[in-house]
Amino acid sequence: MVQKSSPTAKRLGRRPGFDRDAVVAAAIQPFWAKGFEATTLSDLEAATGVDRSSIYNSFGGKEGLYHSAASAYVDSAEEVLFEPLHRGSAGIADIIEFLDRLAANLRTGTNPQGCFIVNDMAADVDHQSTDRYLERLEDGLRAALERASTSGETQANMVIQRCQLLTSAILGVNITHRNDKTGTRATNLINALRSEVRSWAVLQ
């Protein structure tokens, strides 16, 4: 459990007696599961182990902590999910690897359903993190498709259209998984995407 900051430390202006990164990481879970609006300060106190006065003092309140949690989630998505798209060298195979990672992530059973960012897009709370998530997803897909077209694996004139198709499909997968109790629908959608992407490698 993360330790709470003491009133004495706050009076004397000392650094908070907790690990800020650990608090942000712990706050991701309730925000992810319930969304910004439904998550209460009591939920955040229970998840992070710090009291609401510390949340206000260190993050400016619930909204400030949400911004930090959303930003940390995008950082993690870039490292865990988007890495094959941005750093791969195999084109189509890199997109398949990304889809495999997405499927594995949705199957963990340890995280809330769906995607933190996609789940809460309608709340319109954090434009910066939402925009960064979409930009990194789109940039990564475009980069992988451009690698595939440069190597002659796919058609160069289809890069933008396929990037847009995949972006909308990935958002759809995450939205579907949000209320997909068994995960079957989301898995079927990812399987269909794998088949579609593989077909691009043979259509010249």
Side-chain angles (χ1 to χ4, degrees):
M1 182 67 71
V2 181
Q3 293 183 345
K4 297 181 180 180
S5 57
S6 69
T8 302
K10 285 185 284 186
R11 283 201 306 270
L12 296 178
R14 295 175 183 168
R15 295 180 64 185
F18 56 80
D19 184 329
R20 184 183 177 91
D21 290 340
V23 169
V24 170
I28 289 175
Q29 293 294 312
F31 281 133
W32 188 347
K34 302 179 71 172
F36 174 78
E37 295 293 345
T39 300
T40 65
L41 283 169
S42 295
D43 293 330
L44 295 172
E45 287 178 317
T48 65
V50 298
D51 57 36
R52 64 190 62 199
S53 64
S54 297
I55 291 172
Y56 277 106
N57 289 338
S58 295
F59 299 97
K62 184 175 89 166
E63 186 167 341
L65 182 52
Y66 181 88
H67 289 312
S68 294
S71 180
Y73 179 89
V74 177
D75 289 342
S76 177
E78 184 162 358
E79 179 180 352
V80 175
L81 290 179
F82 302 160
E83 189 266 345
L85 301 176
H86 289 280
R87 302 193 182 115
S89 60
I92 291 298
D94 295 327
I95 299 175
I96 298 299
E97 171 64 20
F98 160 71
L99 292 173
D100 289 345
R101 292 189 183 196
L102 176 61
N105 192 57
L106 296 180
R107 287 196 306 265
T108 60
T110 58
N111 290 324
Q113 299 283 101
C115 164
F116 179 112
I117 298 296
V118 176
N119 286 355
D120 226 19
M121 277 184 179
D124 200 26
V125 179
D126 193 328
H127 295 290
Q128 185 174 0
S129 292
T130 298
D131 289 346
R132 186 158 66 94
Y133 178 90
L134 291 174
E135 285 170 3
R136 297 308 289 162
L137 174 60
E138 291 170 346
D139 289 349
L141 291 169
R142 186 181 301 109
L145 288 165
E146 286 175 348
R147 290 194 297 271
S149 67
T150 298
S151 68
E153 189 178 19
T154 63
Q155 299 156 299
N157 65 339
M158 296 294 289
V159 167
I160 299 302
Q161 179 178 327
R162 286 170 172 170
C163 177
Q164 293 170 342
L165 173 66
L166 284 171
T167 299
S168 61
I170 296 308
L171 296 180
V173 167
N174 282 300
I175 291 170
T176 298
H177 188 258
R178 181 73 174 93
N179 296 303
D180 185 9
K181 301 304 181 184
T182 65
T184 303
R185 289 189 180 92
T187 296
N188 289 341
L189 290 175
I190 293 175
N191 289 338
L193 278 175
R194 284 195 192 94
S195 296
E196 176 65 17
V197 171
R198 288 191 179 105
S199 76
W200 297 344
V202 298
L203 293 178
Q204 300 296 326

